[in-house]
Amino acid sequence: MKLPTHLQSSWQQLGIAPEVLQQKSLCVFAEATELIDVETAADGRVWQLTPAAADAWLRMQAAANADGITLKIASAYRASSRQVELIQRKLDLGQQIADILQVLAPPGCSEHHTGRAVDIYQPGGPVVEEAFETTSAYAWLSQHAATFGFTLSFPRNNAYGYVYEPWHWCYQSN
């Protein structure tokens, strides 16, 4: 697969070799075009998902709540341009691109671009940290998320070379 033209300049700017697409077996995802607001963070950020993912998220969140588990969003939809900013910030801090690409997808390759991915946390617990796997929220998700169409995207030793992300779940549309 060849890198789409609209992403080539971003990758070049960030120092990401086009070969990374094949080396890491990455997919290029289309950006979501229809998004709805599903949650507002304490700092005022509004988290958005596609309508189908939003419906599934709200149903899953309500079911968890009925079981005494609070699920909150730490991150949801973000544009490829935002992904560029996040990577550039890490580069500006002196991090190497190979290290960055273990924790952030290249622009165009993040499930967050689809509007179907959510980074989940439990209030009072770790946020986007591996320790999330020790929470009751993770235990609940492991048992129930598939019922709502959500799957854990990056388990340990995943094929993409990303770190284990027990907080990152993606809605798989039917």
Side-chain angles (χ1 to χ4, degrees):
M1 173 185 242
K2 188 177 186 303
L3 188 64
T5 306
H6 73 281
L7 294 173
Q8 289 177 7
S9 63
S10 294
W11 281 42
Q12 186 175 20
Q13 167 197 333
L14 297 168
I16 304 171
E19 298 79 42
V20 166
L21 196 60
Q22 286 79 29
Q23 291 167 353
K24 292 177 67 90
S25 302
L26 299 176
C27 298
V28 175
F29 297 107
E31 297 259 347
T33 55
E34 185 181 359
L35 296 163
I36 60 174
D37 299 349
V38 291
E39 194 169 306
T40 303
D43 65 3
R45 287 180 292 177
V46 176
W47 300 123
Q48 298 179 310
L49 294 169
T50 63
D55 177 64
W57 164 256
L58 293 171
R59 287 186 296 107
M60 183 169 74
Q61 191 179 42
N65 193 53
D67 288 342
I69 304 295
T70 301
L71 303 178
K72 300 295 281 178
I73 296 176
S75 185
Y77 169 77
R78 64 176 170 254
S80 293
S81 57
R82 177 69 177 139
Q83 200 76 0
V84 170
E85 292 170 7
L86 294 172
I87 293 171
Q88 188 61 58
R89 183 181 312 150
K90 288 182 176 293
L91 287 168
D92 292 347
L93 292 171
Q95 295 183 27
Q96 298 298 310
I97 193 65
D99 295 331
I100 295 168
L101 295 181
Q102 291 178 5
V103 296
L104 285 173
C109 298
S110 173
E111 288 180 336
H112 287 286
H113 304 332
T114 69
R116 296 183 291 110
V118 285
D119 290 344
I120 302 171
Y121 75 98
Q122 185 172 25
V127 181
V128 296
E129 295 176 21
E130 188 174 317
F132 177 70
E133 76 176 348
T134 66
T135 66
S136 56
Y138 178 78
W140 190 93
L141 288 164
S142 296
Q143 190 172 21
H144 301 286
T147 304
F148 300 92
F150 284 89
T151 58
L152 179 66
S153 297
F154 306 114
R156 291 189 193 284
N157 305 311
N158 61 77
Y160 309 105
Y162 294 129
V163 297
Y164 170 48
E165 294 189 356
W167 62 84
H168 182 102
W169 297 75
C170 192
Y171 175 71
Q172 307 299 321
S173 56
N174 300 331

